[in-house]
Amino acid sequence: MTERETLQNWIDESRRIVFFGGAGVSTESGVPDFRSQDGLYRQTWKYPPETILSHTFFRQNTAEFYEFYRAKMLPLEAKPNAAHKKLAELERAGNLTAVITQNIDGLHQAAGSRNVLELHGSVHRNYCTRCGRFFDADFIKKSKGVPRCDCGGIVKPDVVLYEESLDGDVISRAVEALENADLLIVGGTSLAVYPAAGLIQYYGGRRIVLINRDPTPYDGRAGLILREPIGQVLGSVAVG
C-alpha cells in the first residue's frame, strides 16, 4: 500500500480529524514562508524580520514596522489552494472537526472552513488601540505611515507579535480539539515555533500524519510521513 493510499484509508476511517498547519500550507498560494531558502527570514532588511515583528519594535519603531508589514505580511491577492479547499471539504463531510493554524492569512476561511483556530491571529482583524474600533486589512494596506483611527489611536493588527502571548481561549479550544481527535494531520510546518508547536503533545491518538518537505522534531512519532507538496497530497484525497 502506498503512502497516499494509507492516508486515504486513515481519513476514511476517521470522524474527528484535526489539521495542524503552518506557513507551508499557504506557499502554494504564493504566500512566502519564513524559514525556507527564499523565506522572509533570509531576506535582507535594515532589521531582521524577527526584530521587526516584535512587540518592542512595534511600540518603538511603529512607522518602520508598518513599512515591512504592508510589504511582506499582507498578500491580500492570495487565493486558497487545493490544501485549503480539501480541508474545508473534509469539514463539510463530517470527517474534520478543526483546523489549527499558525498562519494569519485567512485562507482557510476563504476556502470555506468554519472551525479555524488561529494561534497567531489574523491580518483581517485590526483594531484601534484607543477605542477598539475594528478595521479590515484593506484599510491597513491602503494607509500611509502609521494607520490611525478617527479618534487618533494607532490601529494595530490582531496578530501575535514576538514577546506577546497567544490567546488563551484559542489555546483552550485547540487543546480540546486535539484531545478529542482520532487522527492528527500536521502539514507545512517545521514544528519549531513555540509555544504553538508544543500543542500537538495534547493529541493522544495513535495516528499522526506529517506532510512536510523537511524533517521535523516530531518525525519519530508519526505513523505516516509524506515529503510532497501539501496541496498535491491533500488535493488527491477523495471525500465521501
Side-chain angles (χ1 to χ4, degrees), residues 19 22-31 78-92 96 99 101 103 105-113 230-231 234-235:
F19 178 81
V25 178
S26 293
T27 53
E28 290 172 68
S29 295
V31 180
K79 304 297 183 184
N81 61 51
H84 299 107
K85 294 174 183 177
K86 188 64 64 171
L87 291 167
E89 190 178 350
L90 286 167
E91 183 185 46
R92 289 193 297 270
L96 183 142
V99 168
T101 181
N103 296 340
D105 52 42
L107 290 178
H108 285 294
Q109 291 94 329
S113 290
I230 190 167
L234 291 182

Side-chain angles (χ1 to χ4, degrees), residues 28-198:
E28 290 172 68
S29 295
V31 180
D33 64 4
F34 286 81
R35 292 175 172 77
S36 70
Q37 192 63 38
D38 300 315
L40 291 181
Y41 285 176
R42 295 179 182 269
Q43 297 178 17
T44 301
W45 288 78
K46 184 177 178 181
Y47 301 94
E50 301 99 313
T51 299
I52 298 173
L53 296 174
S54 69
H55 180 79
T56 296
F57 193 91
F58 174 82
R59 191 178 68 250
Q60 297 178 350
N61 305 275
T62 311
E64 287 180 273
F65 169 89
Y66 274 107
E67 182 180 351
F68 177 86
Y69 186 82
R70 290 190 190 94
K72 292 298 182 180
M73 306 301 290
L74 288 175
L76 303 185
E77 71 287 347
K79 304 297 183 184
N81 61 51
H84 299 107
K85 294 174 183 177
K86 188 64 64 171
L87 291 167
E89 190 178 350
L90 286 167
E91 183 185 46
R92 289 193 297 270
N95 297 81
L96 183 142
T97 58
V99 168
I100 303 172
T101 181
Q102 299 173 82
N103 296 340
I104 59 177
D105 52 42
L107 290 178
H108 285 294
Q109 291 94 329
S113 290
R114 301 183 66 182
N115 190 27
V116 182
L117 304 176
E118 297 171 308
L119 298 176
H120 296 149
S122 172
V123 299
H124 297 283
R125 297 189 302 269
N126 305 273
Y127 62 92
C128 173
T129 55
R130 180 178 296 175
C131 73
R133 180 183 170 189
F134 170 85
F135 295 85
D136 61 16
D138 197 52
F139 172 84
I140 301 295
K141 187 79 170 180
K142 293 178 177 178
S143 63
K144 305 295 183 183
V146 178
R148 291 187 179 274
C149 176
D150 291 340
C151 75
I154 295 173
V155 178
K156 182 183 184 297
D158 188 15
V159 299
V160 179
L161 303 176
Y162 289 103
E163 304 169 347
E164 294 180 341
S165 300
L166 303 188
D167 182 272
D169 179 62
V170 174
I171 293 296
S172 296
R173 292 166 60 197
V175 168
E176 182 180 6
L178 287 163
E179 289 178 336
N180 292 311
D182 57 7
L183 173 61
L184 174 60
I185 302 176
V186 180
T189 173
S190 63
L191 293 174
V193 178
Y194 284 81

